[in-house]
Amino acid sequence: MKILERIQMIMVWNWKSIRKRIGCLGLMLLSICMLTACEDKMTPHKLMESMSKNMADITSFANKVKLDIELEDVLYTTAVSMDISLESTSDPKAGHALGKAHVKMRGAELDSVLEVYQVVEGGRRATYSSLDGVWTKEVSEHTKGSVITIDNSLFSQMSDSVDDFQIAEGMVDVNGQECYQMYGEVTGENLKGLLGGQMLNAYGLVKLPDEDAVSELVIPITFNIYKEKMLPARIVVDMSEAMNGLYDKFDKTTNVNSYNIKLDFDNYGAVEEIKVPEEIKALVMGNTNQGQ
């Protein structure tokens, strides 16, 4: 065989070998990509379960609450705007809220400072509340259902409610960190358990036609979840349409222009022990409501 022919044969054999290796490498890379894509594919159930599991281990967190509500009636408009900073600890179970409220009602406008402490005293829930420095205290036999903290076990209860939730494409930015965004609808009952019933009526500043009927409403909600921590970053609730339906159901002339709640979470595990100052306890002596 001529030398040239042998060289050609060797080149052909080497080329086939290289092609075969490239093909195997391509298949391997494709498999890796497919496996990675499967592993990284996030679902609403995975997000909710991860958030629930991680929240169960949280001992404290801080968040900010913003409420914007406007109710228009025949004769007047009621508007409530609230900005509140909240802190919560799980052991001991306690919470502290401090913020401002701007209220427009029946032609009058008022700016007030709100502050709330909620602690467990003698196995009962004690809530110390003030509006512009005037303190009152309520004591309840129930230690659950906090009005100023989020029930971090409720995410596990909501796991069965996320079948129709969707995850937005791409990430969103909250507090300078990448977050998943998941949105869908929840019942008013779940929302009351998540946020506390009093938050839904702006801590008593809005009188609803029937507070029990809120449990049956279907309300849009958006969760932003920190990608790295798998913990809540932001919760946004738009109750405008649902509340309009509630007022219509009870033949009220009220038109709900806006009924929005937003919570931002920016600190986990760094809240110090929450105690009611002794001077506040002294202020509420003799002004206590039992069994609320």
Side-chain angles (χ1 to χ4, degrees):
M1 184 179 295
K2 296 180 180 180
I3 295 177
L4 181 59
E5 290 177 350
R6 287 179 57 84
I7 292 174
Q8 289 176 338
M9 288 179 62
I10 292 172
M11 290 179 64
V12 170
W13 182 85
N14 285 339
W15 177 243
K16 288 182 178 179
S17 178
I18 292 171
R19 288 183 61 186
K20 185 177 180 181
R21 291 178 184 180
I22 290 174
C24 291
L25 180 61
L27 287 172
M28 183 175 68
L29 291 173
L30 180 61
S31 299
I32 291 173
C33 291
M34 291 178 66
L35 286 171
T36 303
C38 291
E39 289 175 358
D40 290 344
K41 183 175 177 59
M42 190 57 68
T43 67
H45 273 289
K46 285 182 180 179
L47 275 178
M48 188 65 76
E49 288 172 3
S50 296
M51 189 164 54
S52 172
K53 180 181 177 181
N54 293 339
M55 279 295 289
D57 296 329
I58 292 298
T59 58
S60 71
F61 60 86
N63 61 299
K64 293 179 175 61
V65 178
K66 185 174 180 62
L67 290 87
D68 284 303
I69 299 170
E70 185 176 279
L71 310 177
E72 186 178 358
D73 220 317
V74 177
L75 299 177
Y76 57 86
T77 297
T78 298
V80 178
S81 177
M82 303 179 73
D83 287 283
I84 303 172
S85 295
L86 295 151
E87 294 181 329
S88 175
T89 61
S90 60
D91 187 17
K93 188 172 180 61
H96 177 233
L98 177 63
K100 295 181 179 180
H102 178 79
V103 181
K104 179 181 177 182
M105 187 177 298
R106 297 182 182 273
E109 294 192 43
L110 177 66
D111 288 301
S112 298
V113 176
L114 305 170
E115 188 167 13
V116 180
Y117 283 93
Q118 194 166 78
V119 295
V120 176
E121 295 179 346
R124 297 185 296 176
R125 187 180 69 205
T127 303
Y128 296 78
S129 307
S130 84
L131 184 64
D132 293 328
V134 179
W135 286 91
T136 60
K137 178 183 177 182
E138 293 184 352
V139 178
S140 172
E141 296 295 333
H142 304 286
T143 57
K144 292 186 176 182
S146 168
V147 300
I148 61 171
T149 64
I150 285 184
D151 184 353
N152 55 5
S153 68
L154 190 83
F155 292 110
S156 60
Q157 301 173 32
M158 293 178 64
S159 295
D160 295 334
S161 305
V162 298
D163 289 332
D164 296 325
F165 272 63
Q166 297 183 50
I167 298 177
E169 293 185 10
M171 294 288 167
V172 296
D173 182 275
V174 178
N175 298 318
Q177 299 182 54
E178 280 192 327
C179 296
Y180 293 102
Q181 185 172 84
M182 178 173 67
Y183 55 93
E185 295 178 333
V186 295
T187 64
E189 183 67 24
N190 274 342
L191 196 60
K192 285 169 67 177
L194 180 67
L195 305 182
Q198 290 200 15
M199 190 182 291
L200 299 189
N201 69 343
Y203 300 98
L205 293 174
V206 175
K207 184 173 178 58
L208 301 176
D210 188 318
E211 293 193 15
D212 292 334
V214 172
S215 300
E216 302 174 7
L217 298 178
V218 177
I219 301 166
I221 188 170
T222 300
F223 292 99
N224 291 338
I225 302 101
Y226 289 119
K227 181 181 178 181
E228 295 296 327
K229 303 174 186 175
M230 279 295 177
L231 287 168
R234 177 175 291 162
I235 299 174
V236 180
V237 180
D238 184 354
M239 301 176 63
S240 308
E241 185 175 344
M243 284 300 188
N244 261 318
L246 181 64
Y247 279 94
D248 290 343
K249 179 180 178 180
F250 287 89
D251 297 322
K252 303 294 183 181
T253 57
T254 303
N255 183 56
V256 181
N257 294 332
S258 63
Y259 212 111
N260 303 311
I261 302 173
K262 183 177 76 171
L263 299 91
D264 272 15
F265 297 79
D266 57 3
N267 205 342
Y268 285 97
V271 178
E272 297 181 356
E273 184 178 358
I274 297 170
K275 294 182 178 180
V276 183
E278 291 300 323
E279 56 268 27
I280 291 176
K281 291 183 179 181
L283 288 172
V284 300
M285 290 296 292
N287 191 26
T288 302
N289 295 320
Q290 300 288 337
Q292 299 298 316

